Structure formats: C-alpha cells, structure tokens
Amino acid sequence: MQSPCRTEVMANKEKETCGTICLKYLLFTFNFLFWLAGGAVMAVGIWTLVEKSDYISLLSSKIYAVSAYILIVAGGIVMVTGVLGCCATFKEQRRLLRVYFVLLLCVFLLEILAGVLAYIYYQQLNKELKQNLKETMVQKYRQPEQDHVTKAVDKLQQEFKCCGSNSSSDWAESVWIRSENSQMRDSVPDSCCKSPSELCGHRNHPSNIYKVEGGCITKLENFILNHLQIIGAVGVGIACVQIVGMFFTCCLYRSLKAEPY
C-alpha cells in the first residue's frame, strides 16, 4: 500500500509530464508556422530587391535596400531556427533550447531593426526624392557608366506613365538632351511617350507625352511608401509572434529543468 506522500509525488510528476507534453506540441506547432513565416519574410525581401531593384539606383539613401537585405537574412535565420526548435523540442535538450532561444532573440532584434529602418525612411523619403531625383535624372541619364540609371528612369516613366521628376519640362535641363548625342535634339526621352517608338520624344505634346501632375516623384514616392509599409509590417508582425515562441521556450525549459535526469 502506497503512502500518501508517495501518491502525491507521483500525481505531481504526472502533472509535470502532461504539462511538458502540451508545451512540446505547442512549441512544435509554433515552429512549423514560424518556419513558414520565415519563408514569407525571405520572399518579401528577395522580391523587393529582384523585382524592384532598378528603382533603388534612383535613391541616394541605402536604407530601402538595407531593410530588404535584413529581411532576407532574418528570413533565412528564421527557417534554420524553426528546424532547430523542432529538434530541441522533441529531444528535450535544454542546451538546444538555450541556443534556440538566443536565435529567436537575434531574429527578433533583426525584425525590429528592419521595421524601425522602414519607418525612419518612410519619414524622410519625400525630402530625399525632392532633393535628389531630378538631379539624378538630368545629370546621369544616358551618360557613360550610368546604364543602370538610364534603365531605371526609362522603366519608371513607362511603368508609372509619367515624364520627368516634377514635369516633362525638367528634361530641358538634361545633360543628354543638351548634348550632341541627343537624336535630333529630342525634347524628352522616348520612354516619356504614350506609345514609345524611336524619336517619338521629339514631339513634346500632351497627346504624345505623359503630362502627369507631380511628375514621377509622386508616383515613385507612393510606390516606395507602399513597399516600406509592407517591410515594416512584416518585420514588426513576425517580431511580435516571436515573443510567443520565446515564452513557450522559457516554459518548456523550466519544465525540463524541474525533471530529474
């Protein structure tokens, strides 16, 4: 016949075991979702750099690109961390759980950093574009070793159906338009035309050339602001989710620590 003390100890042991099992499955589910989230974070960063990399060359600040790179690095670490978390959870090794917690904390800080950088750049973007976009377009378009800028400007004007930084008249100050290389002294680049064709920029008329109020600055600003909102939301959102993961990890670590070897 078992003593009351022994019965109580066994009951407490059973409760601890059940609690540990519940924590293990909660943490496993979190890690699986976290691994998927890491892939999503990395995809957002890669998409920003690959699909929209042309526009980065028109920006004087590197914060926009840095934010995207941080997301890529953080996304990669998240995916590795998710796998490590699953191993640490089912092997019930406290050392692995400590490593897992540290990685979660590092990713958390990276995600917060990406979100903060996106917010800071969000505040200064308008000022930067007003100060630098016009100068970049008129000074570097069709100039030697500036093919990336030329490609970005042509893509910007065609994709957003705009012409010039503030208006099509900005091109009157262009180094290229004033140079001997300008074909028949074009008024604007051919990418300003509603139906682009060779030398179409020679006829500077509203029926032929995009005349958009605010020029390309407004279009590019709205485009980048939307992407910064995505980068910031993804970074801060995943960081908040990680707090839950760190909480589960601490609970499981304490549960395992209380158990005998």
Side-chain angles (χ1 to χ4, degrees):
M1 185 174 179
Q2 293 182 338
S3 66
C5 291
R6 182 174 179 79
T7 303
E8 184 178 351
V9 169
M10 292 180 65
N12 290 334
K13 176 67 176 178
E14 185 176 350
K15 287 181 180 179
E16 289 179 358
T17 303
C18 290
T20 301
I21 292 173
C22 289
L23 283 171
K24 284 173 60 177
Y25 281 101
L26 280 173
L27 197 53
F28 176 79
T29 302
F30 168 82
N31 279 310
F32 177 72
L33 296 175
F34 193 50
W35 183 83
L36 292 178
V41 169
M42 185 182 291
V44 169
I46 293 174
W47 174 65
T48 300
L49 292 178
V50 174
E51 291 295 323
K52 310 301 176 183
S53 60
D54 291 333
Y55 299 139
I56 293 176
S57 62
L58 300 177
L59 305 173
S60 59
S61 173
K62 302 300 181 185
I63 296 179
Y64 181 63
V66 168
S67 298
Y69 279 119
I70 289 176
L71 284 185
I72 293 174
V73 172
I77 297 176
V78 164
M79 297 186 76
V80 173
T81 302
V83 175
L84 177 62
C86 290
C87 294
T89 300
F90 279 99
K91 288 188 176 182
E92 298 186 4
Q93 292 185 3
R94 285 174 291 158
R95 184 177 299 177
L96 280 178
L97 283 174
R98 285 197 295 268
V99 173
Y100 172 65
F101 181 86
V102 170
L103 286 176
L104 276 181
L105 184 60
C106 290
V107 176
F108 174 80
L109 296 176
L110 280 175
E111 299 286 5
I112 290 294
L113 178 61
V116 170
L117 287 177
Y119 177 78
I120 292 173
Y121 194 51
Y122 187 95
Q123 302 299 313
Q124 69 181 50
L125 179 62
N126 182 267
K127 181 179 179 180
E128 178 188 326
L129 289 177
K130 285 182 177 179
Q131 290 179 342
N132 300 297
L133 184 59
K134 180 179 178 180
E135 181 180 354
T136 299
M137 294 175 77
V138 301
Q139 295 294 329
K140 297 182 179 181
Y141 186 78
R142 293 286 184 93
Q143 297 306 298
E145 299 182 358
Q146 298 295 335
D147 290 342
H148 60 295
V149 173
T150 300
K151 180 181 177 183
V153 170
D154 286 337
K155 181 178 179 180
L156 173 68
Q157 296 189 140
Q158 275 296 295
E159 190 169 298
F160 294 129
K161 304 184 188 307
C162 57
C163 183
S165 177
N166 297 290
S167 69
S168 58
S169 61
D170 291 340
W171 285 109
E173 304 174 32
S174 170
V175 173
W176 172 69
I177 292 293
R178 293 183 173 187
S179 70
E180 296 180 356
N181 294 327
S182 178
Q183 299 172 320
M184 296 179 62
R185 293 289 176 181
D186 288 0
S187 297
V188 295
D190 293 341
S191 57
C192 281
C193 299
K194 295 180 180 179
S195 299
S197 61
E198 189 174 359
L199 303 181
C200 68
H202 184 64
R203 180 170 171 265
N204 190 359
H205 190 273
S207 63
N208 181 51
I209 302 298
Y210 290 118
K211 302 285 186 178
V212 180
E213 184 177 352
C216 292
I217 279 184
T218 303
K219 298 280 189 176
L220 183 59
E221 181 182 9
N222 290 336
F223 168 81
I224 295 178
L225 286 179
N226 289 335
H227 277 72
L228 287 175
Q229 288 176 343
I230 294 173
I231 290 175
V234 168
V236 175
I238 297 299
C240 291
V241 172
Q242 286 174 248
I243 296 176
V244 178
M246 288 189 282
F247 173 76
F248 285 156
T249 304
C250 288
C251 291
L252 180 59
Y253 181 83
R254 292 183 64 184
S255 176
L256 293 176
K257 190 174 183 180
E259 294 176 3
Y261 288 98

